Amino acid sequence: MKLPVLLATVAALTTLSANAATLNYSLTGGGFTGTFNGTPFTASSFNITATGDTSTIISGILADNGPAFLIPVSPTIEIFTLGGGSLTATLQPTPGKTFMAASVDFTGSVAHGFIIFDSFASPIIAGLGSFTAGTTPSNLASPATIHGELTSDTTTFPSSAGLITFTVPAATPSTFTISPVPEPAAAAATFLSALSGTLLVSRRQRRS
């Protein structure tokens, strides 16, 4: 790679770093039963992950609930089955709705998870979250690790693999995590380090 191209690449990565406002959101938990596009399964654990732009966070009072912070996302789910395999899909909202990572106050406990959202005036269409008593909603804009228990009911989400239904037993442990996305500047530094080593080897080969 020529030096001008290299410098332009690094400059672009650095600019992205300065403007970046993205965080990773994940919900992990223990086992439950369900169906994956109509096929029954028993899960040993699961992981729902998504990345969101913090400039798109909205807040308000959810109907039939309380204060809430929401950020639009496109979550991916991986379900680890008791048979040792895994099922993966991208969760999708119902038509005209939005998938959100959410922090919602349910009067006495706060749920952190993922919901299908219509408007603050409408009830939650479907959701799976980790409930923690005696806490306050997160604004979803800062790193955090929140432990709780999964919603103990049945929820159905549309997905790229068909409908996924979760039937969660009571007292199922779970964790909601908000973490930084690696900065592009760090990627640029790694790229420069690798490139400098390549150039050094190339120079040595030319001299020998």
Side-chain angles (χ1 to χ4, degrees), residues 29-161:
F32 52 79
T33 59
T35 58
F36 193 90
N37 195 25
T39 302
F41 69 85
T42 300
S44 60
S45 62
F46 76 96
N47 187 22
I48 301 175
T49 58
T51 299
D53 180 347
T54 56
S55 68
T56 63
I57 292 172
I58 60 175
S59 62
I61 306 297
L62 270 177
D64 300 330
N65 297 301
F69 291 85
L70 310 171
I71 181 170
V73 292
S74 180
T76 298
I77 186 168
E78 185 169 15
I79 300 168
F80 302 94
T81 63
L82 288 181
S86 65
L87 307 169
T88 60
T90 299
L91 299 180
Q92 299 171 337
T94 49
K97 315 307 178 187
T98 307
F99 233 110
M100 298 280 196
S103 176
V104 184
D105 191 336
F106 282 89
T107 310
S109 64
V110 173
H112 293 87
F114 296 91
I115 66 171
I116 297 176
F117 174 75
D118 182 9
S119 70
F120 283 106
S122 303
I124 294 172
I125 297 169
L128 185 66
S130 178
F131 281 78
T132 308
T135 58
T136 56
S138 163
N139 63 8
L140 301 178
S142 303
T145 300
I146 303 151
H147 302 286
E149 294 182 355
L150 285 178
T151 318
S152 56
D153 55 16
T154 298
T155 298
T156 298
F157 284 146
S159 83
S160 59

Side-chain angles (χ1 to χ4, degrees), residues 5-21:
V5 176
L6 169 63
L7 293 177
T9 302
V10 174
L13 288 170
T14 304
T15 301
L16 285 172
S17 175
N19 296 327

Side-chain angles (χ1 to χ4, degrees), residues 154-174:
T154 298
T155 298
T156 298
F157 284 146
S159 83
S160 59
L163 293 178
I164 303 176
T165 299
F166 314 85
T167 300
V168 182
T172 300
S174 57

